[in-house]
Structure formats: structure tokens, C-alpha cells
Amino acid sequence: MEWLERNVPKLVLAPSFVAILVFVYGFIGWTAWVSLTKSKLMPRYEIDGISQYTRLFASPRWDVAMNNLFIFGALFILLSMVIGLVLAIFLDQKIRSEGVLRTIYLYPMALSLIVTGTAWKWILNPGLGIQEMVRGWGFTGFTFDWLIRPEMAIYTVVIAAIWQASGFVMALFLAGLRSVDTEIIRAAQVDGIPTHRIYSAIIIPTMAPIFLSAFIVLAHLAIKAFDLVIALTNGGPGYATDLPATYMYAMAFSRGDLGQAAASAMIMMMVIFAIVVPYLYSELRPRRDH
Amino acid sequence: MYMKSVLAASTAVMFAAPALAEPTAEVLHWWTSGSEAKSIAVLQEEFKENGGTWTDMPVAGGGGDAAMTALRARVLAGNAPSAVQLKGPAIQEWYEETGLADISAVAEENGWADVLPAQIADHMKCEGQWCAAPVNVHRVNWIWGNKQILDENGIEMPSTWEEFNAAADKLQEAGITPLAHGGQAWQDATVFETVVLGLGGPEFYKAALVDLDQEALKSDTMKEVFDEMRVLRGYVDDNFSGRDWNLATAMVMNGEAAFQIMGDWAKGEFLAAGKQPGTDFVCAPTPGEGFLYNVDSFAFFNVDGDDKQQGQALLAELIMGPNFQKVFNMNKGSIPARTDVPLDDFDDCAKASNEDMQADSEDGSLLPSFAHGMALRGAQAGAITDVVTAHFNSEMSSEDAVQQLADAVAASM
């Protein structure tokens, strides 16, 4: 009986622990192994060294994919947080029908990225969307053809992704704003401190943990971004909007180049680790003040 | 009641199946769209009429990526399907990975070697033994034109790339989009290979895109090819990004554009819309000589059990049967792989295609298409496609493109 009492938690956790060990970490190890081989159509297991990685870094297409990841990731995370914060502060002004507005802002998050991508593909298409509409109003010189210009196309992906995610960031921040102790704010108001100072000096600093959570959520959305690109540009024009995820998919499933796909997957994982490990470290380290 | 009869029926099947050992086949393919599904149903019917049990395994998804993933999973699990839609060097690639079934007995009995062009027969062999059966031949280097537009502007179908450029300039001045094109990498590659063939000739095409000779890849001829690609880019309208090939065909059909460079599956679109060759649209080989083929075929995997092996033999025989070759290809818009099938019921474009195939087969200018996976393995074809599409969709110079092409091919080996 006593043995059972001591061991029930372990027994209950064991199956899911084993499943995660095998299906997450086991397969990460398997991918790492395959990335060191000359696998093509099917996995092969003779270790060949780092030739897949040298091929990867010599590939102009992978360069484009990594550059796009940094452009897309930086702009998407930064602008989503700024827009989300601004929307949250505006909504926090004790206005009427706040519930309705909040729902409207949050709603894009409920759409699939495929739908977002397809809709924006039409909106941004020079012959159908914004450009054609503005020209129809009489401004015949108006040009907005980012979607078909290789050097600008990645920014259209940023636009669509921000449209999708900023409402969600707003909801996170709004909850954060509401959790700030109203006593402190009242005290500040009594002292005659202007509202923008109250936000910048008191409210936003106390929301630091929420910024961190928003950052982690957005960062992993950026790195795994795949369906949006597929629906919006399908990697094009050319491969100008390729991201590491679409590169990996092309190698693994269209090209029969499993070794190359595994190598790119390992690099993607390292990028994620570079972001997540510091976060986990800051979360899991023992707190001194307890 | 219903439940009971289902149970009874399924028990009966369970007991009956092993006793009869009738031919069975599980066929993995990605012909799921309208005309394609109709075409494969013909084979399915014939198979059943000959006493076989057909298990259909269609995997939707253009280009067969999803089907190849399904195949990989099945092979890794040690349970390969009997027949799989595979083509070109992918057949040999799979042969090297897992081995394929030997169907030489069927091939020799039916004299396949005598009725197939030698180049196409070579694709169906793995180390000398027959391991696959061809169903059709698509010609890739076609140029399609809108008859009405061409007549109104006094333009003949071009026979050199200069003539094409001159015609396109004239059309552009008249306010017509000269070239309908879709913005997908494989479409860029399709146009590219027809230009390589047209400007370089069959010898050069073979050296550059089949043998991957570095000299040829870096040659001045290849620079001219990229120059021509840049010129062609100017003839395409601005909204081509991401457009499917059939939408480009529709532009030619509706008179929004004059030409399209695309394989003969485009003809299927014209015919399906009720257009007639010669009166509504015209077909001609792209400028230059030679014939680029794209052959669909079925490869046979190693399977255990008499019923399954008999099924493979029957399937192979039917696929190469004159009746199936005729009916199937009339549905699909292609021509039979067998050269002895009468073509009386086919349209003029198909007849011309068949004549060229036989003539070019003899003088060595019957060549595999690289853009459609007939000439090269996936990694190499992909590397070339990447360079071609990057050049077509940017301001890259022809010198840079040639250098990148040579580097990409060397890295993909």
C-alpha cells in the first residue's frame, strides 16, 4: 500500500513521459543522425560527416530562406507587439462597447493561416486588389505591387502575419493591463502624473512577464511559419519568400533529398533553442526572494 | 438484418479469397482530377474484366508529393503496394533503394522492345531487366496560339526564337499580352528547357541537362539561353505570380494572351472547353528541332504471394495493351507510348506529335524533359529549377545565372 502511494505519481506519468521521450527526443536524435548521412529518397544510416551542412550553407536558396526568417521574424514580432500594445492601451480607456471591439480585434486569430494567406493574396494582387482599386479611383500612377517584386514580397508575408496575430497580442496585453494594481494608478493620478507617464513608468514595466510570454509565442510562430507562405506566395516569386520550413518541406517531400531536409531541420531547431533556452533558464532558475 | 448480411458476406470473402488465388493489385497513383480519374478507371475496368481484384490507392496532391510520402511510409513498413505511378530516373532511384519486381517475362512475351522507342524503353529497365510499364508520352515542347489573334495581326507560328520575339513585339505594340505564363517554378523550368533545346539543339541539350557537363553549363550558348529567358519575361503580364498553368491556358483560350509554352496537357484544357485545333487554337513545336518527352509509367514493387505477383503480370500486360493505350491517351491528351497503335481517332496535334516522336527517335533528338523529372534525379533537377526560377523572377544577370547553375549542379551531386 505504502509502496503504491509513493509510486502512483510515477506510474501515472510514465506512459506520457515515455511517449514524449521517443516521439520527440528520439526523433530529434534520429533527424540529427540522418542529417549526417547521404540519405536521398530513403533514410540511410552510414555516417558521412557534415557534408549535408556544407551543401546547405553553400545553397543560395537556403541563404534567402534564413535572411527571410530574420526579416520576417524581427518585423513580425516587433510590430505585432507594438500594435498589440497600442490597441490594448486604447481599449483600456473605459469606453463603451469594449467587448464588441475586443472581439473584432481578436477575431483574425480564429481564422486559419491558409485563409488569411489566400485572402491577402487577392488583396495584394496588383491586378485585382488594392492597386487596381486605387487606380480605379483615378490615381492611375498608384503602384503597390510588392507581391510580385522578389525583393519586397517577404514584407507582404509580414503584413498578413501581423494582421493575424496583433489582436491576440492585444488580448494578452489587455489582461496584463487589467492586472496592474489600481491602487498604485490611483495614487499616481492623485499626485497629478499625466496618463502617458503612468503607462510608461508604472504600468508597462510591471507587465514585463507578459511581454516575455508574447515574445516567446510570436517567436515560435515566426520560426514555424509555413502555411501562410504556402497560401500567400507559395515561396515565390522564384524562391524569394522561402522560409526554412518551406525549404525543408521542398527537400523532404518534393526533391527526395532527406539528408538535406534533416540538416535544415537541425538548423531550425538550433535557432529555436537559441531563443527558448534563455527563456527556460530565466523561468526555471531558483528564485532568490523565496 | 443489414448488419448480418454484411457479416456473412465478409466472412465469405475471408474464406474464399485464399482458395481462388485470383490476381490482385494495389495501385498507388495521383490521378485524381476529372480527366485523369476517368483515364485510370479504364485500366481498373479492364483489370476487373480479366478476373482481377483492384485495390485503388489514390493519393490526391498535384505532382505526387503526397503520394511519394505515402509510398515511403509503406516501403519503410515493409508493405509496398504492387504498382506505383513513378517515372523517369525515380524508377532507378527506387530500384537502388529497395529493389523492384522483375516483369521481363511479360515484356518479352508481348514484344515490348519492338513497339517502344528505344529511349523510352530504357527508362523502364532496371539494370537490364524490365521493372516498369509506360502508359503515355506527353510532348513538353509545344507552343499554343490563339488562332484569331494571330490571324488578326498577320502572325505565323514562329519557327525560330527571333521570329517569336518579333511576333511578340508586334503583339505587345497592339496591346496584347504575347505570352501567357504561370508563376510556378516548374513552369519557368518548362520554358527554360524548350529554350535550351531551341537555341542549343539536341546535342547541347543532352550535354547540359542530361549529362550535366560543366563545359556546356558554363558555355556562351547557356548565356544566350538566359538572355532569351530575360526577353521572354518581358512578354509576360505583371500578375503571373502564383498563377496555375491551366489559368494561363485559359488566357490564350479567351484571347487575353497570344501564346503559351506548355506540354500537351494544355490541349486537354482546350478540348474540354470545346475548342477545335486549327480553327480556335493552333499547336506547333517550340522553335528549334527535337522532341522533349514526359512519360507516365507504373513501376512494380517487390511483393509476396502468388495472387499479387499474378496481379502485377496482368497489370503490366494491360497497361501496354493497344486498347488501353488508345482509350487512355484520348482521355488524357497525350499519345500512346506504343508506336503501333492506330491514331485515326486522335486529333491533328496528337498525330503530328506521334510522327515527330518516331522520326526523332531515329535521329537521336528524342530527349527526356528535365522540368518534368525525366532527365535527372530529384536533387539535381531541383537545383537547376532553383537557379532558373531565381533568374526569371529577379534582375540577375545571365553571367551570374550561368555561374550559379554550374555551382548548383556541382553541389547537388
Side-chain angles (χ1 to χ4, degrees):
Chain A
M1 238 1 236
E2 210 173 283
W3 179 89
L4 207 62
E5 245 167 51
R6 243 185 308 120
N7 288 292
V8 157
K10 287 177 197 163
L11 285 174
V12 173
L13 284 176
S16 57
F17 182 75
V18 169
I20 289 171
L21 208 62
V22 172
F23 292 109
V24 176
Y25 298 94
F27 284 153
I28 289 177
W30 184 84
T31 307
W33 184 292
V34 170
S35 78
L36 295 173
T37 66
K38 275 190 148 54
S39 300
K40 288 276 184 200
L41 218 47
M42 299 278 276
R44 290 178 206 166
Y45 299 105
E46 305 90 56
I47 294 282
D48 176 62
I50 57 159
S51 64
Q52 296 290 0
Y53 291 92
T54 47
R55 261 183 76 198
L56 189 66
F57 290 121
S59 154
R61 184 169 170 177
W62 175 253
D63 269 359
V64 169
M66 282 307 266
N67 277 336
N68 281 344
L69 178 64
F70 289 121
I71 294 174
F72 173 72
L75 287 177
F76 168 64
I77 294 170
L78 189 74
L79 292 176
S80 293
M81 292 212 336
V82 169
I83 293 172
L85 183 62
V86 169
L87 288 178
I89 290 175
F90 285 174
L91 263 190
D92 194 32
Q93 303 308 315
K94 313 230 161 34
I95 46 173
R96 259 185 296 164
S97 63
E98 186 205 308
V100 175
L101 286 172
R102 200 174 47 207
T103 313
I104 290 174
Y105 285 141
L106 192 56
Y107 206 73
M109 197 67 185
L111 285 180
S112 153
L113 280 167
I114 295 284
V115 176
T116 305
T118 310
W120 279 94
K121 181 160 108 181
W122 295 329
I123 296 170
L124 295 169
N125 185 309
L128 297 170
I130 296 175
Q131 178 180 313
E132 190 65 18
M133 187 179 73
V134 175
R135 285 188 181 179
W137 290 342
F139 305 96
T140 45
F142 179 80
T143 316
F144 183 61
D145 57 354
W146 288 6
L147 191 66
I148 60 165
R149 280 170 53 196
E151 71 282 5
M152 299 304 288
I154 187 66
Y155 298 103
T156 63
V157 183
V158 176
I159 293 172
I162 290 174
W163 179 83
Q164 175 105 355
S166 48
F168 164 71
V169 178
M170 177 209 74
L172 273 184
F173 283 154
L174 196 58
L177 289 173
R178 293 285 152 82
S179 68
V180 176
D181 192 348
T182 46
E183 292 298 311
I184 303 174
I185 299 173
R186 290 252 176 79
Q189 279 169 339
V190 169
D191 286 348
I193 298 170
T195 315
H196 71 270
R197 284 282 299 153
I198 296 179
Y199 272 107
S200 64
I202 302 171
I203 300 178
I204 292 174
T206 54
M207 283 165 54
I210 295 186
F211 274 94
L212 201 60
S213 312
F215 175 76
I216 293 295
V217 170
L218 292 174
H220 99 269
L221 278 179
I223 293 167
K224 75 177 188 188
F226 176 77
D227 31 12
L228 183 62
V229 175
I230 295 292
L232 184 62
T233 63
N234 200 7
Y239 51 71
T241 50
D242 239 0
L243 287 176
T246 56
Y247 181 91
M248 190 205 77
Y249 183 87
M251 292 303 148
F253 299 112
S254 317
R255 300 259 164 108
D257 206 343
L258 277 185
Q260 190 68 176
S264 60
M266 291 312 289
I267 301 290
M268 276 168 70
M269 193 185 71
M270 286 173 204
V271 173
I272 293 183
F273 275 9
I275 294 167
V276 172
V277 168
Y279 170 73
L280 288 179
Y281 179 75
S282 72
E283 286 287 296
L284 297 179
R285 75 178 165 199
R287 300 266 159 87
R288 295 262 167 75
D289 47 310
H290 282 287
Chain B
M1 191 57 213
Y2 172 73
M3 222 22 223
K4 222 179 227 171
S5 61
V6 169
L7 269 178
S10 56
T11 346
V13 168
M14 270 167 64
F15 284 111
L20 282 170
E22 60 186 12
T24 61
E26 188 180 7
V27 184
L28 174 66
H29 63 90
W30 60 89
W31 281 329
T32 49
S33 81
S35 68
E36 293 171 342
K38 214 162 80 184
S39 310
I40 191 92
V42 175
L43 186 61
Q44 201 170 341
E45 276 309 307
E46 276 198 30
F47 194 74
K48 281 179 188 159
E49 277 164 24
N50 284 278
T53 309
W54 173 292
T55 313
D56 207 27
M57 192 182 166
V59 182
D65 290 355
M68 285 303 105
T69 308
L71 176 62
R72 209 174 279 144
R74 291 284 300 264
V75 170
L76 278 174
N79 176 28
S82 321
V84 179
Q85 187 188 345
L86 276 185
K87 65 180 187 182
I91 297 171
Q92 280 76 33
E93 230 174 331
W94 275 104
Y95 176 77
E96 286 160 23
E97 298 283 355
T98 69
L100 293 175
D102 185 359
I103 53 164
S104 301
V106 183
E108 274 148 28
E109 193 183 318
N110 293 288
W112 289 9
D114 305 327
V115 294
L116 289 177
Q119 292 90 334
I120 290 170
D122 280 347
H123 285 291
M124 305 301 143
K125 289 180 187 167
C126 305
E127 289 184 359
Q129 72 189 39
W130 292 83
C131 56
V135 290
N136 64 4
V137 176
H138 279 295
R139 183 177 199 168
V140 177
N141 57 331
W142 276 119
I143 182 161
W144 308 92
N146 180 308
K147 184 88 164 55
Q148 201 191 343
I149 294 181
L150 298 186
D151 287 350
E152 276 169 12
N153 292 280
I155 291 169
E156 296 279 305
M157 282 306 257
S159 60
T160 65
W161 284 102
E162 283 96 44
E163 274 180 43
F164 179 87
N165 294 347
D169 287 336
K170 200 169 165 188
L171 287 162
Q172 214 158 29
E173 270 169 38
I176 299 161
T177 305
L179 185 62
H181 183 64
Q184 292 167 329
W186 69 266
Q187 297 189 48
D188 300 337
T190 303
V191 174
F192 173 78
E193 65 178 3
T194 65
V195 178
V196 171
L197 181 68
L199 289 179
E203 290 282 312
F204 177 76
Y205 181 94
K206 189 164 179 300
L209 296 182
V210 182
D211 303 335
L212 299 178
D213 174 37
Q214 283 282 329
E215 294 281 306
L217 290 172
K218 284 192 214 165
S219 66
D220 289 342
T221 315
M222 196 53 94
K223 270 189 204 133
E224 282 170 35
V225 171
F226 279 110
D227 288 341
E228 177 65 25
M229 289 299 284
R230 178 64 66 237
V231 174
L232 289 176
R233 170 69 184 82
Y235 297 143
V236 178
D237 67 311
D238 274 345
N239 299 331
F240 77 106
S241 219
R243 181 188 288 149
D244 275 326
W245 67 270
N246 51 341
L247 298 181
T249 310
M251 288 175 68
V252 176
M253 231 184 274
N254 302 333
E256 289 163 46
F259 295 113
Q260 184 188 17
I261 296 167
M262 184 50 62
D264 52 16
W265 44 94
K267 189 177 68 192
E269 292 286 307
F270 283 110
L271 296 177
K275 307 281 180 190
Q276 293 302 318
T279 54
D280 299 312
F281 68 95
V282 277
C283 58
T286 50
E289 55 171 324
F291 185 109
L292 294 181
Y293 62 82
N294 173 18
V295 176
D296 286 317
S297 49
F298 279 94
F300 299 92
F301 279 71
N302 279 322
V303 287
D304 290 327
D306 268 353
D307 51 343
K308 287 184 179 168
Q309 281 165 3
Q310 277 176 33
Q312 287 184 329
L314 176 59
L315 198 59
E317 199 182 327
L318 292 177
I319 286 173
M320 272 295 283
N323 178 47
F324 170 70
Q325 293 259 327
K326 183 183 164 186
V327 178
F328 177 91
N329 287 303
M330 284 185 62
N331 280 337
K332 190 130 193 306
S334 42
I335 58 172
R338 288 179 81 107
T339 50
D340 62 346
V341 178
L343 290 176
D344 305 332
D345 300 334
F346 284 74
D347 59 71
D348 293 342
C349 297
K351 282 177 193 159
S353 181
N354 190 50
E355 258 169 47
D356 287 351
M357 177 175 82
Q358 300 199 8
D360 288 338
S361 163
E362 274 148 34
D363 67 13
S365 46
L366 181 61
L367 292 159
S369 152
F370 113 82
H372 297 276
M374 293 304 297
L376 301 169
R377 300 192 170 199
Q380 278 123 37
I384 297 177
T385 304
D386 278 350
V387 178
V388 170
T389 188
H391 169 268
F392 194 74
N393 288 288
S394 69
E395 302 298 314
M396 193 192 291
S397 72
S398 301
E399 283 76 24
D400 289 350
V402 165
Q403 191 56 49
Q404 273 201 20
L405 185 68
D407 293 347
V409 167
S412 70
M413 292 297 189

